Amino acid sequence: MNLSFKIIDSTGRIKAQNRDTKEVSLFFEGTYEPGDEIVFECENTPANVCLMLDDALGKSLVYVTGEVRYKIPFMEKRLNISPKAFMGDRHLLYAREAKAFELNTYRNLAQNSYDQHDTTTMFPHAVANVETRGESVFAASNAIDGNVLNKGHGNWPYESWGINMRDDAHMAVEFGRPVKIDRINLYTRADFPHDNYWTAVSFAFFDDERNQIKNMKVNLKKSYAPHEFVIEPIIASSFMLHHMIKSDDPSPFPALTQIEIFGIEEKEALFI
């Protein structure tokens, strides 16, 4: 399978590119500018890919269904990521086909350091009906970036999903294909006394056609530690966190730092 990277500017001019089979690297000696994008392509999709768009953000195991376009963040849009990411004039990108042993391993299926609002071809992908003031530090994607530090709020490393005090807030994690889930961990934001917390939330699971398969309510408490829930294994293509009930504490600001959804691929991968 051919894999390729391109870095293009706002006019579509190619600043750097490379193509290879099974795995590809791109070393870009230059600075990113507003409007720049990373374009990643697989010859055959859908495909499971180990992807690194910046060495400061590391590798994520993602499911790709088409061309991936990642907008290099600037100004306010980069406050939720490491300040080392995409900076300077030496940048290393890498991608390869995922190995069968990786796909067959029990893992956090929700982690993706490269999720963005406009993502439609790379999973997992987080979407929500509200994000506080539309700010990057409160985006839904923060809840799947792998960072569980929850004793603060605001700029990295305290980015979170903020609900703007909405009682009807909900967030979904889309997997792009069926996966088998049996454990969910919630790191609720715990910047007390600034933050409030939820006493209960509901988990909903959906199939490929977005039909709800199951809904369940779980109880939470005021805690810095993760809330861990082991459930009967369920095959689903997306997951929703909803019907979140705020405690009677005076703060109006409950929020979510991270969600981890553990399981395996629905279909066992062949050895490669």
Side-chain angles (χ1 to χ4, degrees):
M1 179 170 65
N2 289 323
L3 305 171
S4 70
F5 281 121
K6 289 188 294 186
I7 299 172
I8 61 174
D9 67 14
S10 58
T11 69
R13 179 179 66 90
I14 298 174
K15 303 174 73 168
Q17 63 181 327
N18 195 26
R19 176 183 296 272
D20 213 327
T21 58
K22 293 192 176 180
E23 65 178 330
V24 61
S25 296
L26 175 59
F27 177 46
F28 172 45
E29 293 188 271
T31 57
Y32 288 118
E33 300 169 303
D36 284 358
E37 289 185 301
I38 296 171
V39 181
F40 172 68
E41 292 183 279
C42 294
E43 181 182 31
N44 299 318
T45 55
N48 290 282
V49 176
C50 180
L51 183 68
M52 183 179 77
L53 303 184
D54 186 272
D55 57 279
L57 298 181
K59 297 173 182 175
S60 290
L61 187 57
V62 296
Y63 184 72
V64 174
T65 59
E67 178 188 81
V68 174
R69 301 179 75 96
Y70 183 89
K71 298 177 181 178
I72 304 299
F74 283 87
M75 306 297 286
E76 189 277 332
K77 295 299 183 184
R78 61 173 291 109
L79 297 180
N80 62 330
I81 62 173
S82 168
K84 300 185 292 291
F86 306 107
M87 297 299 289
D89 58 4
R90 296 167 68 84
H91 307 280
L92 179 62
L93 292 72
Y94 173 80
R96 63 167 169 78
E97 295 181 69
K99 303 295 185 181
F101 67 82
E102 293 173 303
L103 299 178
N104 296 335
T105 298
Y106 185 78
R107 60 190 172 90
N108 177 14
L109 298 162
Q111 195 271 324
N112 180 5
S113 299
Y114 302 104
D115 189 35
Q116 291 187 322
H117 270 287
D118 297 333
T119 299
T120 58
T121 57
M122 180 172 60
F123 302 91
H125 174 51
V127 294
N129 66 336
V130 60
E131 296 169 329
T132 302
R133 295 184 297 273
E135 296 175 10
S136 66
V137 296
F138 299 121
S141 59
N142 296 331
I144 63 170
D145 66 3
N147 182 8
V148 301
L149 193 61
N150 66 348
K151 295 183 180 181
H153 75 282
N155 295 359
W156 182 93
Y158 296 114
E159 71 279 8
S160 60
W161 172 47
I163 66 170
N164 204 30
M165 300 180 287
R166 286 264 297 268
D167 291 333
D168 64 342
H170 57 77
M171 187 193 80
V173 179
E174 299 176 346
F175 303 105
R177 81 286 188 194
V179 294
K180 185 181 291 186
I181 300 163
D182 70 357
R183 178 183 290 269
I184 297 165
N185 295 343
L186 298 178
Y187 287 81
T188 50
R189 205 176 66 195
D191 188 12
F192 308 126
H194 172 276
D195 286 344
N196 201 326
Y197 65 98
W198 295 297
T199 60
V201 299
S202 291
F203 300 156
F205 303 84
F206 300 87
D207 64 16
D208 277 340
E209 304 299 322
R210 298 188 181 274
N211 299 311
Q212 184 172 301
I213 305 167
K214 185 176 182 178
N215 189 73
M216 58 185 296
K217 180 181 178 181
V218 297
N219 295 319
L220 308 180
K221 60 183 180 180
K222 189 174 186 177
S223 177
Y224 296 100
H227 309 271
E228 302 183 65
F229 303 97
V230 176
I231 64 173
E232 288 294 323
I234 185 169
I235 295 174
S237 295
S238 63
F239 165 93
M240 179 178 286
L241 184 67
H242 67 114
H243 286 174
M244 298 177 287
I245 301 172
K246 186 173 61 176
S247 83
D248 292 332
D249 276 14
S251 168
F253 304 120
L256 180 68
T257 293
Q258 197 72 189
I259 182 169
E260 297 175 332
I261 304 174
F262 285 90
I264 59 174
E265 298 288 329
E266 180 200 13
K267 297 179 180 178
E268 184 172 333
L270 298 175
F271 180 78
I272 55 174

